[in-house]
Amino acid sequence: MLSFMLAIVGFIALAKTMQRHRKNLCSVRKIFVFRVAGATILTFSFVHLCGAWGIADGVVGWLCLAALAAFLVVALLSGTSSFEKKNSPPDVENFF
């Protein structure tokens, strides 16, 4: 469970570095920090699961866990972006 939560947090940190999701990040230094933090958290998640399950089972389990975590983060981010589009004023320039 800890590895799954770490994977979700790691993918969220990596998603915040993408231009589409970086609304509050202004400086390049913050973007770099989020990238390093996301990769480090994903590494901790991998090491934790490999330590708990063993190398062979840990690698396979972490790949499945990472895929599920990435899917949940994508679903969360796409849901929030569609919610923002519905509640934003209409775009007059592209109306017709």
Side-chain angles (χ1 to χ4, degrees):
M1 189 68 169
L2 177 65
S3 292
F4 183 64
M5 294 305 218
L6 286 173
I8 289 175
V9 170
F11 281 121
I12 288 173
L14 288 176
K16 289 294 280 184
T17 64
M18 295 175 59
Q19 188 169 0
R20 170 181 257 191
H21 305 296
R22 109 173 57 127
K23 294 177 182 155
N24 298 327
L25 298 176
C26 300
S27 67
V28 175
R29 187 176 193 283
K30 286 183 181 179
I31 294 168
F32 179 74
V33 167
F34 269 91
R35 282 185 184 155
V36 170
T40 304
I41 293 170
L42 285 173
T43 303
F44 284 147
S45 169
F46 176 74
V47 169
H48 178 265
L49 200 63
C50 285
W53 289 8
I55 296 295
D57 292 335
V59 170
V60 173
W62 186 80
L63 289 173
C64 295
L65 181 134
L68 180 63
F71 175 75
L72 289 176
V73 170
V74 167
L76 175 72
L77 290 175
S78 66
T80 57
S81 65
S82 65
F83 179 73
E84 289 172 358
K85 287 179 185 176
K86 288 179 185 176
N87 292 335
S88 64
D91 189 11
V92 179
E93 294 174 2
N94 297 327
F95 187 69
F96 295 105

